[in-house]
Amino acid sequence: MLQILRNAMPIVAAALGRKLGVEVGVGGQEACTDGKRIQTPDVPDDPASRDLAWGYLAHEAAHVRYTDFAVYERAAREGPLQAMLQNRIEDVRIERELARPYPGTQATIAAVLRWMVAEGRMSAPEPGDHPAQVLTGYLLLALRHEELNQTVLAMEARKAAETLRQVFPAPFIARLRTLMDEVPGLTSTAE
């Protein structure tokens, strides 16, 4: 299956290259993009991994299509916490935008999330983790579950909420929830 996916990627790369002006590479452990090149990780060599490969590709293509990388880079220069917060919010915004014209991407992205949870690559933070990890982990899980209806994350989102309550005071959490309520209305990376 991996060979079939690798053979299909040049076709996908050519199509994306024409439409979005990007290259596509396959290999390694992480998915990422700089707006000019999309890198997707190798996926397991089994039939169930087709949606996993397309889900990674869909998410990164959404960044190419909807993320303002200049704004993104300014946030990253402000520090690692700002970069991580920007990423958590931007991931939710771009996946919501991508699902409008391409609703099928929700299923392939869900395949990625199922795999990540099963492999232990996406899980709720623990009370002993650094507070920044608790905050960003909670945002990752809660926003994806609540705003994108990614039900595969429901249990981890509940665990993350419990950890958040153990680490941060109630007034902080109330303010955070107020700010999170603004996420569905965001229309740009800058917002």
Side-chain angles (χ1 to χ4, degrees):
M1 180 61 146
L2 187 56
Q3 189 60 39
I4 293 168
L5 289 171
R6 282 196 178 137
N7 290 341
M9 282 300 174
I11 297 166
V12 173
L16 279 175
R18 284 190 301 274
K19 184 147 179 95
L20 302 173
V22 296
E23 298 176 44
V24 176
V26 178
Q29 299 294 314
E30 302 294 323
C32 60
T33 185
D34 60 5
K36 297 176 183 77
R37 177 177 171 76
I38 291 173
Q39 184 69 32
T40 63
D42 284 325
V43 297
D45 190 9
D46 61 54
S49 296
R50 183 188 58 147
D51 283 347
L52 182 59
W54 300 130
Y56 276 121
L57 188 59
H59 175 85
E60 297 307 328
H63 273 299
V64 171
R65 189 169 190 176
Y66 300 110
T67 295
D68 180 334
F69 283 92
V71 170
Y72 211 67
E73 289 166 12
R74 277 195 303 276
R77 284 193 301 268
E78 291 181 28
L81 179 58
Q82 181 66 26
M84 189 66 77
L85 292 170
Q86 176 81 27
N87 182 260
R88 299 305 192 224
I89 294 167
E90 185 70 355
D91 281 353
V92 171
R93 190 187 72 75
I94 61 144
E95 286 184 19
R96 184 187 66 232
E97 290 299 317
L98 186 66
R100 288 183 178 132
Y102 305 106
T105 59
Q106 292 170 312
T108 57
I109 290 171
V112 172
L113 298 174
R114 271 192 301 281
W115 182 76
M116 290 180 80
V117 169
E119 293 289 313
R121 295 178 182 220
M122 183 179 282
S123 61
E126 299 289 331
D129 290 343
H130 189 281
Q133 290 175 290
V134 173
L135 174 62
T136 58
Y138 170 74
L139 287 172
L140 170 73
L141 296 163
L143 287 172
R144 285 182 162 282
H145 177 248
E146 295 169 17
E147 301 304 326
L148 298 175
N149 197 30
Q150 293 172 334
T151 57
V152 67
L153 300 177
M155 183 181 302
E156 294 302 316
R158 281 192 293 277
K159 290 179 193 174
E162 179 55 35
T163 299
L164 189 77
R165 285 190 292 275
Q166 292 177 33
V167 173
F168 289 98
F172 174 88
I173 295 171
R175 178 69 178 131
L176 177 64
R177 292 301 310 182
T178 299
L179 292 170
M180 289 171 65
D181 289 343
E182 295 180 27
V183 171
L186 299 177
T187 61
S188 70
T189 307
E191 287 182 7

